[in-house]
Coordinates of all heavy atoms in Angstrom, one line a residue:
M29 N -22.2 38.2 2.1 CA -21.9 36.9 1.7 C -22.2 35.9 2.8 O -21.8 36.1 3.9 CB -20.3 36.8 1.3 CG -20.1 35.6 0.5 SD -18.4 35.8 -0.3 CE -17.8 34.2 -0.1
P30 N -22.9 34.8 2.4 CA -23.3 33.9 3.5 C -22.2 33.1 4.0 O -21.1 32.9 3.3 CB -24.4 33.0 2.8 CG -24.1 33.2 1.3 CD -23.4 34.5 1.0
E31 N -22.3 32.7 5.2 CA -21.2 31.9 5.8 C -21.1 30.5 5.1 O -22.1 29.9 4.8 CB -21.4 31.8 7.3 CG -20.2 31.7 8.2 CD -20.7 31.4 9.7 OE1 -21.7 31.8 10.1 OE2 -19.8 30.7 10.3
R32 N -19.8 30.1 5.0 CA -19.5 28.8 4.3 C -19.3 27.8 5.4 O -19.2 28.0 6.6 CB -18.5 28.9 3.4 CG -18.7 30.1 2.4 CD -17.8 30.1 1.1 NE -16.4 30.3 1.5 CZ -15.4 30.1 0.7 NH1 -15.6 29.8 -0.5 NH2 -14.1 30.2 1.1
C33 N -19.1 26.5 4.9 CA -18.7 25.4 5.8 C -17.4 25.7 6.6 O -16.4 26.1 5.8 CB -18.6 24.2 5.0 SG -18.1 22.7 6.1
E34 N -17.4 25.6 7.9 CA -16.2 26.0 8.6 C -15.0 24.9 8.3 O -13.9 25.2 8.8 CB -16.5 26.1 10.1 CG -16.7 24.7 10.8 CD -18.1 24.1 10.6 OE1 -18.8 24.6 9.7 OE2 -18.4 23.2 11.3
L35 N -15.2 23.8 7.6 CA -14.2 22.9 7.4 C -13.6 23.0 6.0 O -12.7 22.2 5.7 CB -14.8 21.4 7.5 CG -15.4 21.1 8.9 CD1 -16.2 19.7 8.8 CD2 -14.3 20.9 9.9
L36 N -14.0 24.0 5.3 CA -13.5 24.2 3.9 C -11.9 24.1 3.8 O -11.4 23.4 2.9 CB -13.9 25.5 3.4 CG -15.2 25.7 2.7 CD1 -15.3 27.1 2.1 CD2 -15.4 24.7 1.5
N37 N -11.2 24.7 4.7 CA -9.8 24.7 4.5 C -9.1 23.4 4.9 O -7.9 23.4 4.9 CB -9.2 26.0 5.2 CG -9.4 26.0 6.6 OD1 -10.1 25.1 7.2 ND2 -8.8 27.0 7.3
K38 N -9.8 22.5 5.5 CA -9.2 21.2 5.9 C -10.0 20.0 5.4 O -9.7 18.9 5.7 CB -9.0 21.1 7.4 CG -10.2 21.4 8.2 CD -9.8 21.3 9.7 CE -10.8 21.9 10.6 NZ -10.4 21.9 12.0
C39 N -10.9 20.2 4.4 CA -11.7 19.1 3.9 C -11.1 18.5 2.7 O -10.9 19.2 1.8 CB -13.1 19.7 3.6 SG -14.2 18.3 3.0
G40 N -10.7 17.3 2.8 CA -10.0 16.6 1.7 C -10.8 16.6 0.4 O -10.3 16.6 -0.7
F41 N -12.2 16.5 0.6 CA -13.0 16.5 -0.5 C -12.9 17.8 -1.3 O -12.8 17.9 -2.5 CB -14.4 16.1 -0.2 CG -15.5 16.3 -1.3 CD1 -15.6 15.2 -2.2 CD2 -16.2 17.4 -1.5 CE1 -16.4 15.3 -3.3 CE2 -17.1 17.5 -2.5 CZ -17.2 16.4 -3.4
F42 N -13.1 18.9 -0.5 CA -13.1 20.2 -1.1 C -11.8 20.5 -1.7 O -11.7 21.0 -2.9 CB -13.5 21.2 0.0 CG -13.5 22.7 -0.6 CD1 -14.6 23.1 -1.4 CD2 -12.5 23.5 -0.4 CE1 -14.6 24.4 -2.0 CE2 -12.5 24.8 -0.9 CZ -13.6 25.3 -1.7
L43 N -10.7 20.3 -1.0 CA -9.4 20.6 -1.4 C -8.9 19.8 -2.7 O -8.3 20.3 -3.6 CB -8.3 20.5 -0.3 CG -8.5 21.3 0.9 CD1 -7.6 21.0 2.0 CD2 -8.3 22.8 0.6
N44 N -9.4 18.6 -2.8 CA -8.8 17.7 -3.8 C -9.7 17.4 -4.9 O -9.4 17.0 -6.0 CB -8.3 16.4 -3.2 CG -7.2 16.7 -2.3 OD1 -6.3 17.3 -2.7 ND2 -7.2 16.0 -1.1
F45 N -11.1 17.6 -4.7 CA -12.0 17.2 -5.7 C -12.9 18.4 -6.2 O -13.9 18.2 -6.9 CB -12.9 16.1 -5.1 CG -12.2 14.8 -5.0 CD1 -11.5 14.4 -3.9 CD2 -12.2 13.9 -6.1 CE1 -10.8 13.2 -3.9 CE2 -11.5 12.7 -6.1 CZ -10.8 12.3 -4.9
K46 N -12.7 19.5 -5.7 CA -13.6 20.6 -6.2 C -13.6 20.8 -7.7 O -14.6 21.3 -8.2 CB -13.3 21.9 -5.3 CG -11.9 22.6 -5.7 CD -11.7 23.8 -4.8 CE -10.3 24.3 -5.0 NZ -9.8 24.7 -3.8
G47 N -12.6 20.5 -8.3 CA -12.5 20.6 -9.9 C -12.9 19.4 -10.6 O -12.9 19.3 -11.8
N48 N -13.2 18.3 -9.9 CA -13.6 17.0 -10.5 C -14.9 17.3 -11.3 O -15.8 17.9 -10.9 CB -13.8 16.0 -9.4 CG -14.4 14.7 -9.8 OD1 -15.5 14.6 -10.2 ND2 -13.5 13.7 -9.9
S49 N -15.0 16.7 -12.5 CA -16.1 17.0 -13.4 C -17.5 16.5 -12.7 O -18.4 17.1 -12.9 CB -15.9 16.3 -14.8 OG -15.7 14.9 -14.6
E50 N -17.4 15.3 -12.1 CA -18.6 14.9 -11.5 C -19.1 15.8 -10.4 O -20.2 16.1 -10.2 CB -18.4 13.5 -10.9 CG -19.5 12.8 -10.1 CD -20.8 12.5 -11.0 OE1 -20.7 12.6 -12.2 OE2 -21.7 11.9 -10.4
V51 N -18.1 16.4 -9.6 CA -18.4 17.2 -8.5 C -19.0 18.6 -9.1 O -20.0 19.0 -8.5 CB -17.1 17.5 -7.7 CG1 -17.5 18.6 -6.6 CG2 -16.7 16.3 -7.1
V52 N -18.4 19.0 -10.1 CA -19.0 20.3 -10.8 C -20.4 20.0 -11.3 O -21.3 20.8 -11.1 CB -18.0 20.7 -12.0 CG1 -18.6 21.9 -12.7 CG2 -16.7 21.1 -11.3
K53 N -20.5 18.8 -12.0 CA -21.9 18.5 -12.6 C -23.0 18.5 -11.5 O -24.1 18.9 -11.7 CB -21.7 17.2 -13.3 CG -22.9 16.9 -14.3 CD -22.6 15.6 -15.0 CE -23.4 14.5 -14.4 NZ -23.0 13.2 -14.8
Q54 N -22.6 17.8 -10.4 CA -23.6 17.6 -9.4 C -23.9 19.0 -8.6 O -24.8 19.0 -7.8 CB -23.2 16.5 -8.3 CG -23.0 15.2 -9.0 CD -24.3 14.4 -9.4 OE1 -25.5 15.0 -8.9 NE2 -24.3 13.4 -10.1
G55 N -22.9 19.9 -8.7 CA -23.1 21.1 -7.8 C -23.0 20.9 -6.3 O -23.6 21.8 -5.6
W56 N -22.2 19.9 -5.9 CA -22.1 19.6 -4.5 C -21.5 20.8 -3.7 O -21.9 21.0 -2.5 CB -21.4 18.3 -4.3 CG -22.1 17.1 -4.5 CD1 -23.5 16.9 -4.2 CD2 -21.7 16.0 -5.2 NE1 -23.8 15.6 -4.7 CE2 -22.7 15.0 -5.2 CE3 -20.5 15.5 -5.7 CZ2 -22.7 13.8 -5.8 CZ3 -20.3 14.2 -6.2 CH2 -21.4 13.4 -6.2
I57 N -20.5 21.4 -4.3 CA -19.8 22.5 -3.5 C -20.8 23.6 -3.3 O -21.0 24.1 -2.2 CB -18.6 23.1 -4.3 CG1 -17.6 21.9 -4.7 CG2 -17.9 24.2 -3.7 CD1 -16.9 21.3 -3.6
R58 N -21.6 24.0 -4.3 CA -22.6 25.0 -4.2 C -23.7 24.6 -3.1 O -24.1 25.3 -2.3 CB -23.2 25.3 -5.6 CG -23.8 26.6 -5.6 CD -24.4 26.9 -7.0 NE -25.3 26.0 -7.4 CZ -25.1 25.2 -8.5 NH1 -24.0 25.2 -9.2 NH2 -26.0 24.2 -8.8
T59 N -24.1 23.3 -3.3 CA -25.2 22.9 -2.5 C -24.8 22.7 -1.0 O -25.7 22.9 -0.1 CB -25.7 21.5 -3.0 OG1 -25.9 21.6 -4.4 CG2 -26.9 21.0 -2.4
F60 N -23.7 22.2 -0.7 CA -23.3 22.0 0.7 C -22.2 22.9 1.3 O -22.5 23.6 2.2 CB -22.8 20.5 0.8 CG -23.8 19.5 0.6 CD1 -24.0 18.9 -0.6 CD2 -24.5 19.0 1.7 CE1 -25.0 17.9 -0.8 CE2 -25.5 18.0 1.5 CZ -25.8 17.5 0.2
C61 N -21.1 22.9 0.5 CA -19.9 23.6 1.2 C -20.0 25.2 1.2 O -19.5 25.8 2.2 CB -18.6 23.4 0.3 SG -18.5 21.6 -0.1
E62 N -20.7 25.7 0.4 CA -20.9 27.2 0.3 C -21.9 27.8 1.3 O -22.2 28.9 1.3 CB -20.9 27.8 -1.1 CG -19.7 27.5 -1.8 CD -19.6 28.0 -3.3 OE1 -20.7 28.3 -3.8 OE2 -18.5 28.1 -3.9
S63 N -22.6 26.9 1.9 CA -23.6 27.3 2.9 C -23.4 26.7 4.3 O -23.4 25.5 4.3 CB -25.0 27.1 2.4 OG -25.9 27.1 3.4
K64 N -23.1 27.5 5.3 CA -22.9 26.9 6.6 C -24.2 26.1 7.0 O -24.1 24.9 7.6 CB -22.6 28.0 7.5 CG -22.7 27.6 9.1 CD -21.4 27.2 9.5 CE -21.4 27.0 11.1 NZ -21.3 25.6 11.4
E65 N -25.3 26.6 6.7 CA -26.6 25.9 7.1 C -26.7 24.6 6.4 O -26.9 23.5 7.0 CB -27.7 26.9 6.7 CG -29.1 26.5 7.3 CD -30.2 27.3 6.7 OE1 -30.0 28.4 6.4 OE2 -31.3 26.8 6.7
K66 N -26.5 24.7 5.0 CA -26.6 23.4 4.3 C -25.5 22.4 4.6 O -25.7 21.1 4.5 CB -26.7 23.6 2.9 CG -28.0 24.3 2.5 CD -28.1 24.7 1.0 CE -29.3 25.5 0.6 NZ -29.0 26.2 -0.6
S67 N -24.4 22.9 5.0 CA -23.3 22.0 5.3 C -23.5 21.1 6.5 O -22.9 20.1 6.7 CB -21.9 22.7 5.4 OG -21.9 23.4 6.7
E68 N -24.5 21.5 7.3 CA -24.9 20.7 8.4 C -25.5 19.3 8.0 O -25.7 18.5 8.7 CB -25.8 21.4 9.3 CG -25.3 22.7 10.0 CD -24.0 22.4 10.8 OE1 -23.9 21.3 11.5 OE2 -23.0 23.2 10.7
K69 N -25.9 19.3 6.7 CA -26.5 18.0 6.1 C -25.5 17.1 5.4 O -25.8 16.1 4.8 CB -27.7 18.4 5.2 CG -28.8 19.0 5.8 CD -30.1 18.8 5.0 CE -31.3 19.0 5.8 NZ -31.5 20.3 6.5
C70 N -24.2 17.7 5.5 CA -23.2 16.9 4.7 C -22.7 15.7 5.5 O -22.4 15.7 6.7 CB -21.9 17.8 4.7 SG -20.4 17.0 4.0
K71 N -22.7 14.6 4.8 CA -22.4 13.3 5.4 C -21.0 13.2 5.9 O -20.6 12.6 6.9 CB -22.5 12.1 4.4 CG -23.9 11.8 4.1 CD -24.3 10.6 5.0 CE -25.8 10.1 4.8 NZ -26.8 10.7 5.5
R72 N -20.0 14.0 5.2 CA -18.6 14.0 5.6 C -18.5 14.7 6.9 O -17.9 14.3 7.9 CB -17.8 14.9 4.5 CG -17.7 14.2 3.2 CD -16.8 15.1 2.3 NE -15.5 15.1 2.9 CZ -14.6 14.2 2.7 NH1 -14.8 13.2 2.0 NH2 -13.4 14.4 3.3
K73 N -19.3 15.7 7.1 CA -19.2 16.4 8.4 C -19.8 15.6 9.5 O -19.3 15.5 10.6 CB -20.1 17.8 8.3 CG -19.8 18.8 9.3 CD -20.7 19.9 9.2 CE -19.9 21.2 8.7 NZ -20.6 22.4 8.9
E74 N -20.9 14.8 9.1 CA -21.5 13.9 10.2 C -20.5 12.8 10.6 O -20.3 12.6 11.9 CB -22.7 13.3 9.6 CG -23.6 12.5 10.4 CD -24.6 11.9 9.6 OE1 -25.3 12.5 8.8 OE2 -24.8 10.6 9.8
I75 N -19.8 12.3 9.6 CA -18.8 11.3 9.9 C -17.7 11.8 10.8 O -17.3 11.2 11.8 CB -18.3 10.6 8.7 CG1 -19.4 9.7 8.0 CG2 -17.0 9.8 9.0 CD1 -19.1 9.2 6.7
R76 N -17.2 13.0 10.4 CA -16.1 13.6 11.3 C -16.5 13.8 12.7 O -15.8 13.7 13.6 CB -15.8 15.0 10.5 CG -14.5 15.5 10.9 CD -14.3 16.9 10.4 NE -13.6 16.9 9.2 CZ -12.2 17.1 9.0 NH1 -11.5 17.4 10.0 NH2 -11.7 17.2 7.8
R77 N -17.8 14.2 12.8 CA -18.3 14.4 14.2 C -18.5 13.2 15.0 O -18.1 13.1 16.2 CB -19.8 15.1 14.0 CG -19.8 16.6 14.1 CD -21.1 17.2 14.5 NE -21.1 18.6 14.2 CZ -21.9 19.1 13.3 NH1 -22.8 18.4 12.6 NH2 -21.7 20.3 13.0
T78 N -19.0 12.2 14.3 CA -19.3 10.9 15.1 C -18.1 10.0 15.3 O -18.0 9.4 16.3 CB -20.5 10.1 14.4 OG1 -20.1 9.9 13.0 CG2 -21.8 10.8 14.5
T79 N -17.1 10.1 14.4 CA -15.9 9.2 14.5 C -14.7 10.1 15.0 O -13.8 9.5 15.5 CB -15.6 8.5 13.2 OG1 -15.1 9.6 12.3 CG2 -16.7 7.8 12.6
G80 N -14.8 11.3 14.9 CA -13.6 12.2 15.2 C -12.6 12.2 14.1 O -11.6 12.8 14.2
K81 N -12.9 11.5 13.0 CA -11.9 11.5 11.9 C -12.6 11.8 10.6 O -13.8 11.5 10.4 CB -11.4 10.1 11.7 CG -10.4 9.7 12.8 CD -9.7 8.3 12.6 CE -9.3 7.6 13.8 NZ -9.8 6.3 13.9
P82 N -11.8 12.4 9.7 CA -12.5 12.7 8.4 C -12.6 11.4 7.5 O -11.8 10.5 7.6 CB -11.4 13.7 7.7 CG -10.2 13.5 8.3 CD -10.5 12.9 9.8
P83 N -13.7 11.4 6.7 CA -13.8 10.2 5.9 C -12.7 10.3 4.7 O -12.1 11.3 4.6 CB -15.2 10.3 5.3 CG -15.5 11.8 5.4 CD -14.7 12.4 6.5
K84 N -12.7 9.3 3.8 CA -11.8 9.3 2.7 C -12.1 10.5 1.8 O -13.3 10.9 1.6 CB -12.0 8.0 1.8 CG -11.4 6.8 2.6 CD -10.9 5.8 1.5 CE -10.5 4.5 2.2 NZ -9.6 4.5 3.3
D85 N -11.1 11.1 1.3 CA -11.2 12.3 0.4 C -12.3 12.2 -0.7 O -12.9 13.1 -1.1 CB -9.9 12.7 -0.2 CG -9.0 13.3 0.9 OD1 -9.3 13.4 2.0 OD2 -7.8 13.6 0.4
N86 N -12.4 11.0 -1.2 CA -13.3 10.8 -2.4 C -14.8 10.5 -2.1 O -15.6 10.2 -2.9 CB -12.8 9.7 -3.3 CG -12.9 8.3 -2.7 OD1 -13.0 8.2 -1.4 ND2 -12.9 7.2 -3.4
M87 N -15.1 10.8 -0.8 CA -16.5 10.7 -0.4 C -17.2 12.0 -0.5 O -16.8 13.0 0.0 CB -16.7 10.1 1.0 CG -18.1 9.6 1.3 SD -18.3 9.1 3.0 CE -19.2 10.6 3.6
A88 N -18.3 12.1 -1.3 CA -18.9 13.3 -1.5 C -19.9 13.7 -0.3 O -20.1 12.8 0.6 CB -19.9 13.2 -2.8
P89 N -20.3 14.9 -0.3 CA -21.2 15.3 0.9 C -22.5 14.5 1.0 O -23.0 14.4 2.0 CB -21.5 16.8 0.5 CG -20.5 17.2 -0.3 CD -20.0 16.0 -1.2
T90 N -22.8 13.8 -0.1 CA -24.0 13.0 -0.1 C -23.7 11.6 0.5 O -24.6 10.7 0.7 CB -24.6 12.8 -1.4 OG1 -23.6 12.3 -2.2 CG2 -25.1 14.1 -2.1
G91 N -22.4 11.2 0.6 CA -22.0 9.9 1.1 C -21.7 9.1 -0.1 O -21.1 7.9 0.0
K92 N -21.9 9.5 -1.4 CA -21.5 8.8 -2.6 C -20.0 8.8 -2.8 O -19.3 9.8 -2.5 CB -22.2 9.5 -3.8 CG -22.0 8.8 -5.1 CD -22.5 9.5 -6.3 CE -21.9 8.9 -7.6 NZ -22.5 9.4 -8.8
L93 N -19.4 7.7 -3.2 CA -18.0 7.6 -3.4 C -17.7 7.9 -4.9 O -18.4 7.4 -5.8 CB -17.5 6.2 -3.0 CG -17.5 5.9 -1.6 CD1 -16.9 4.5 -1.3 CD2 -16.7 6.9 -0.7
L94 N -16.7 8.7 -5.1 CA -16.4 9.1 -6.5 C -15.5 8.0 -7.2 O -14.7 7.4 -6.4 CB -15.7 10.4 -6.5 CG -16.5 11.6 -6.2 CD1 -15.6 12.8 -5.9 CD2 -17.5 11.9 -7.3
Ligands
SF4_125 S1 -17.7 18.4 1.8 FE1 -18.9 18.8 3.6 S2 -17.3 19.0 5.3 FE2 -16.3 19.3 3.3 S3 -16.4 21.4 3.0 FE3 -18.1 20.6 2.0 S4 -19.8 20.8 3.5 FE4 -17.9 21.0 4.5

């Protein structure tokens, strides 16, 4: 099994929005969270790195707000 994003268990987006219909439709979890390599392109991860704080939970990995 490929390695997943290391932030999964503390990411507010993943924890609170993984069942959201828009999130499911867009396939963001599959596209970003379930691959360590692809998660490096996640805007949420980038913001956490640059600011030291997680973005609001409703921000998707693409930066789009739900
Ligand atoms: S939304 Fe981004 S930071 Fe959160 S689990 Fe998915 S890839 Fe990781």
